[in-house]
Amino acid sequence: MSFRRPGAAVQTAVLILIFALPLPSHGGVIPLPAKVDLGRGWFSVDSRAIILIPPGDHDAEAAAHHLDALWTRTNGLTLPVRSLAARAGTPTIEFRRRMGFGAEAYGIVVTQQRITVTATSSAGLYYGAVTLWQLLPPGSNTAQIPVQIIRDAPSLAWRGLMLDSSRHFQSPSFIRSMIDWMSWHKLNVLHWHLTDDQGWRLQIRRYPRLTTVGAWRVEPDGSRYGGFYTQKEVQDIVRFAATRHVQIVPEIEMPGHASAMIAAYPHLGSANATSSSPAPTVSSSWGVHSHLLNVEPDTFRFLKNVLAEVMALFPSRAIHIGGDETVKDEWRNSHQVQARCLQLKVCDPEALQAYFTKSIGRYAAAHGRRIIGWDEILQPGLRRDAIVMSWHGVAGAHAAALAGNDAILAPWPTLYFDNRQSLLPTEPTGRLQVISLEDVYRFEPRDASLSARQRHHVLGIEAALWSEHMQTEERVQWMALPRAAALA
């Protein structure tokens, strides 16, 4: 099937949203910089100005060209990028590298004749360019930026959005557009939910049935729905994300939410060998499903082979393995699983999931990676390098930090953007709970009951775009924005 790409109108709407929120008097920068000192006067941005970069500094050059492209897009203003000093009196915007800034920190000094963007890292230079773009009101090719000094750095290292591409598929061009507007808000992690009961979306060359079978489902009306990302498409998206300083963290669900995987390769399932029940199909319904992967050695070999291809595609050190909503009935009722449990001397179903998680965690660690899982993985014996994503409120992150594990706050319902934003009749279909822009903005991620050392384990925050009610790309943007700006 074909998928419509987001057109210019959608992109323009996103830009409008960035500049349409209530803004402080000194500019429309979202998120608000950590420190701003206003002066007197203005720097005039017009066709006389130039952008100056150090010779041979490719990061500064990339940030400068990105700034120029954004101003061309929103203001019709195109400025030359040069590495030679300008003539005296020329309005100059200079990118400069200097040691002493944090990993994503930057500074901007605006005088009446010159703007200087300074950072140590490529990410800092890029974020400085984004902030400078937002300081210029859109719609005019001759405008003024107030004299000021900005010092900015993020308070949290992990600033993420999760996109569910399993329930409904989004085109590669949409993924790139989403990465763009995430980077404009200085959000730096795209958690990509690629597999679930309703579809397997990632090409795995060793196991082609994952996409020839697992990527397609039959809808209640009898139509065939699906799609998947080729490895070439994923490589292109990952490279593009790197230019926007967005890390992509893939999620491969296990041992639950596995219907699409088991539909493609039924021997992975946990149904009794003596059962006459057919293998599950790729599901066309939402909710929690009961199908679990078994714990046979062949299944772990399969998963490790899958993860080997995943790790080759995604440079992120973190790999999300799901771990949520594992209904244990199949494990309890499966003669095969129970026999294996006796061999492993693991008889409790919760302990069996802990064994499963530790096995995958050891494999990831042996390849220089660390696993992330939803807060159900927080069980005795969890590897210390595992990251806990707290979705049952904030309790999981608190418990993880106490245990010495890193954690990410992704609490339902506040940061679940499949919840509706209002009760207005214009609001699209979604979950019945209303989570407004103000609700997101007022969410406080800091846990005062933790010690300074324990707080260090809370890496950041993430909002989830579960797509059961987001059939189109336009709907994803509607539900994400402007709440993603409040998250930022």
Side-chain angles (χ1 to χ4, degrees):
M1 67 187 294
S2 62
F3 304 96
R4 189 163 76 87
R5 296 186 177 187
V10 173
Q11 290 292 308
T12 301
V14 174
L15 293 173
I16 291 171
L17 278 167
I18 288 175
F19 291 106
L21 297 177
L23 302 172
S25 60
H26 57 267
V29 180
I30 301 173
L32 190 66
K35 182 175 175 57
V36 179
D37 293 317
L38 285 173
R40 294 187 177 183
W42 306 82
F43 177 92
S44 294
V45 183
D46 54 37
S47 58
R48 297 178 301 120
I50 68 166
I51 303 176
L52 189 64
I53 59 173
D57 191 327
H58 299 298
D59 294 331
E61 182 179 8
H65 281 293
H66 190 59
L67 171 64
D68 181 50
L70 290 172
W71 272 343
T72 299
R73 191 173 186 172
T74 58
N75 297 74
L77 180 67
T78 300
L79 302 181
V81 177
R82 298 176 181 169
S83 58
L84 299 175
R87 290 185 300 176
T90 301
T92 302
I93 300 164
E94 182 179 1
F95 285 82
R96 180 183 297 169
R97 186 92 67 165
R98 198 184 78 194
M99 301 305 294
F101 286 86
E104 298 176 281
Y106 65 91
I108 299 177
V109 177
V110 182
T111 69
Q112 293 185 21
Q113 194 61 32
R114 177 180 291 265
I115 297 176
T116 305
V117 179
T118 309
T120 301
S121 67
S122 58
L125 291 169
Y126 178 86
Y127 290 139
V130 169
T131 292
L132 189 53
W133 164 56
Q134 292 180 352
L135 285 171
L136 187 65
S140 171
N141 60 9
T142 303
Q144 295 177 317
I145 296 175
V147 169
Q148 59 193 291
I149 298 174
I150 294 175
R151 292 285 298 223
D152 195 20
S155 59
L156 297 171
W158 187 291
R159 307 179 303 281
L161 287 179
M162 188 222 73
L163 178 64
D164 172 14
S165 294
S166 179
R167 275 52 176 255
H168 285 100
F169 181 89
Q170 303 88 29
S171 67
S173 61
F174 175 81
I175 304 296
R176 285 191 290 272
S177 75
M178 180 173 174
I179 290 166
D180 248 343
W181 54 255
M182 284 180 63
S183 74
W184 299 338
H185 291 86
K186 303 182 179 72
L187 299 174
N188 66 348
V189 178
L190 173 59
H191 166 189
W192 202 359
H193 189 81
L194 289 163
T195 73
D196 214 300
D197 295 300
Q198 294 78 18
W200 182 283
R201 303 286 174 231
L202 178 64
Q203 179 191 23
I204 300 296
R205 293 196 172 106
R206 184 161 183 162
Y207 300 115
R209 286 176 59 86
L210 286 172
T211 46
T212 59
V213 175
W216 304 93
R217 65 177 183 251
V218 177
E219 297 284 60
D221 65 1
S223 63
R224 187 170 183 254
Y225 179 90
F228 64 93
Y229 304 99
T230 68
Q231 293 201 3
K232 173 63 165 58
E233 288 171 330
V234 169
Q235 289 167 339
D236 289 344
I237 290 169
V238 169
R239 279 194 292 267
F240 176 80
T243 69
R244 300 299 189 260
H245 299 278
V246 172
Q247 174 188 199
I248 301 183
V249 175
E251 180 177 0
I252 306 297
E253 276 271 14
M254 60 182 82
H257 287 284
S259 297
M261 195 189 318
I262 298 169
Y265 292 94
H267 72 278
L268 302 174
S270 292
N272 269 331
T274 59
S275 172
S276 59
S277 300
T281 59
V282 181
S283 180
S284 60
S285 62
W286 315 136
V288 179
H289 293 51
S290 60
H291 298 300
L292 296 184
L293 299 172
N294 63 47
V295 288
E296 293 297 298
D298 282 349
T299 297
F300 284 105
R301 277 192 289 271
F302 181 99
L303 293 172
K304 291 172 183 178
N305 289 335
V306 167
L307 290 175
E309 293 196 32
V310 170
M311 290 187 290
L313 291 170
F314 295 94
S316 164
R317 186 169 177 234
I319 304 291
H320 206 301
I321 64 166
D324 61 312
E325 298 177 326
T326 53
V327 179
K328 306 296 195 303
D329 293 348
E330 282 193 349
W331 278 357
R332 293 187 182 95
N333 298 329
S334 167
H335 301 321
Q336 181 189 53
V337 171
Q338 289 302 310
R340 183 62 60 185
C341 285
L342 288 174
Q343 291 182 348
L344 297 172
K345 299 180 180 180
V346 178
C347 298
D348 175 71
E350 298 304 321
L352 184 57
Q353 183 171 356
Y355 166 82
F356 193 108
T357 302
K358 283 189 285 186
S359 297
I360 298 299
R362 281 196 300 270
Y363 175 79
H367 291 80
R369 308 299 178 97
R370 57 193 303 206
I371 59 169
I372 307 179
W374 301 104
D375 51 32
E376 286 95 330
I377 73 166
L378 185 56
Q379 297 179 18
L382 181 66
R383 292 180 57 89
R384 189 58 60 89
D385 62 354
I387 303 171
V388 175
M389 187 162 279
S390 183
W391 74 277
H392 288 95
V394 300
H398 180 89
L402 291 178
N405 285 88
D406 287 343
I408 298 159
L409 290 161
W412 181 91
T414 308
L415 297 187
Y416 269 49
F417 288 177
D418 53 337
N419 287 302
R420 304 176 77 197
Q421 300 183 72
S422 76
L423 294 176
L424 293 173
T426 53
E427 186 71 15
T429 302
R431 301 200 184 278
L432 295 179
Q433 185 147 353
V434 172
I435 298 297
S436 68
L437 178 67
E438 182 177 357
D439 292 330
V440 176
Y441 190 75
R442 289 188 181 280
F443 174 70
E444 175 52 66
R446 293 165 185 82
D447 187 341
S449 66
L450 295 175
S451 69
R453 174 179 292 182
Q454 291 162 347
R455 283 196 298 271
H456 181 72
H457 283 296
V458 181
L459 303 179
I461 58 177
E462 180 176 296
L465 290 159
W466 297 107
S467 68
E468 289 97 328
H469 301 285
M470 303 181 199
Q471 296 93 337
T472 66
E473 296 166 354
E474 289 77 9
R475 182 67 58 83
V476 173
Q477 287 186 324
W478 178 288
M479 300 300 277
L481 296 165
R483 290 184 293 188
L487 178 79

